[in-house]
Structures are given as structure tokens and as C-alpha cells.
Amino acid sequence: MQIDLNKLERILPTVRTPGRYVGAEYNSVVKDWDAISTRVCLAFPDIYDLGMSNLGLMILYDVLNRLPDVLAERAFLPWVDMIAAMREAEIPLYSLENKRSLADFDIIGVTLPYEQVYTNLLEMLNLADIPLRWEDRDGEHPLILAGGHATFNPEPVAAFIDAFVIGDGEEAIV
């Protein structure tokens, strides 16, 4: 489901740096949600300002969106003021392009560049109303994939991830 844009418009003026949460940047790709069979959200478990400089995320976004039957969108962990406002307004974590709840996607690909974002991953899943542990999810929930430098030893977050990609993801993700 698309999030309630009226609620979002009401809370954006109340948070610091609202531009982090609106999307529509130069070179962003917005595909027709209903016309695409495979929907992937690339999630970065830190704030937009840090995630947008992640080259791996940008490469995967481009690779996936070049495929005609795949839609790739992005989501970042909001700052604490936006998290509080979203919880108050009952807005789930959403993608920037189509403003869809992360729970609506087929796959959520999480980039884990460093260990300090492990707990941020849990916050993202919780904010998206997705069960934290893989064993508590079923076919109605998105598949949670993780890659990045902090997955070379996946054990610390193994209970929360459905599958890991160890190494470069450009070819594996296709």
C-alpha cells in the first residue's frame, strides 16, 4: 500500500532536514508499481546523508532498474525526530520513489557496510512492521537479503536475514 501522503506532508515541516524523506533526486528512477512483477527495495540502515554516498547502493540501483521486469527503490533509516513523527502518525518505513511501505516489496536488499548498523537494521524492520526474526516471517513478508562488508561474518545478524550475499553483489543480485 502506498503510504498516506497527506500524513507525510503534515509531519515533514516538523522534522529537521525534511529533504531526506521526499525522493525525486536527479537520476532517481520511478517505475510504474503496478506494471512491474518484481519489486526490490534497497535499504541502507543509516541516514540518507550517509547512504546516498554508498557506491554499492548506487550501482545495484542502476543494475536492477535497467532490467525491464524489475523495479528498484531506496529506503534509508530516518533520523530520530522523523522516526518519532512516523510512529506518532502511524506511517511505516517507505521507499523514496513510490512511497510504498517496505512490507509491500518482494525483496529488501540491505547494505551492511559496517557492524555499527546492525541495530539500525532491526529498527528499519520494526518501523516497517516486518517481523525481526526470519523464522517469524512467512510468504506474505518480503525476502530480506543482506550484503556488504559487515556480512563477511554473517553470524551476528543471521537470525534476522533470510539470505546473505558474500562478495560483490552486481552479478549476484541479477
Side-chain angles (χ1 to χ4, degrees), residues 53-98:
S53 63
N54 184 283
L55 291 176
L57 184 74
M58 287 188 241
I59 290 169
L60 295 177
Y61 182 75
D62 180 62
V63 166
L64 289 172
N65 275 316
R66 287 180 186 265
L67 300 172
D69 58 342
V70 176
L71 166 151
E73 299 193 358
R74 300 160 299 140
F76 302 90
L77 181 68
W79 190 244
V80 293
D81 61 342
M82 182 64 165
I83 291 173
M86 289 171 67
R87 289 191 191 284
E88 172 88 15
E90 298 180 348
I91 298 173
L93 186 59
Y94 59 91
S95 65
L96 292 179
E97 287 76 7
N98 272 302

Side-chain angles (χ1 to χ4, degrees), residues 34-149:
D34 296 319
I36 303 293
S37 61
T38 303
R39 302 171 187 123
V40 179
C41 184
L42 299 172
F44 192 87
D46 213 326
I47 61 172
Y48 173 91
D49 311 53
L50 297 175
M52 279 305 295
S53 63
N54 184 283
L55 291 176
L57 184 74
M58 287 188 241
I59 290 169
L60 295 177
Y61 182 75
D62 180 62
V63 166
L64 289 172
N65 275 316
R66 287 180 186 265
L67 300 172
D69 58 342
V70 176
L71 166 151
E73 299 193 358
R74 300 160 299 140
F76 302 90
L77 181 68
W79 190 244
V80 293
D81 61 342
M82 182 64 165
I83 291 173
M86 289 171 67
R87 289 191 191 284
E88 172 88 15
E90 298 180 348
I91 298 173
L93 186 59
Y94 59 91
S95 65
L96 292 179
E97 287 76 7
N98 272 302
K99 308 292 187 286
R100 300 296 295 219
S101 169
L102 266 61
D104 292 344
F105 285 85
D106 302 308
I107 299 168
I108 298 176
V110 182
T111 299
L112 295 173
Y114 35 86
E115 291 83 1
Q116 290 84 352
V117 297
Y118 286 166
T119 55
N120 291 1
L121 162 67
L122 302 180
E123 181 73 27
M124 288 183 88
L125 293 174
N126 183 265
L127 194 56
D129 290 327
I130 297 171
L132 299 183
R133 301 175 77 74
W134 65 264
E135 61 194 12
D136 296 329
R137 296 191 289 264
D138 59 26
E140 298 299 312
H141 297 103
L143 183 68
I144 310 296
L145 304 178
H149 292 99

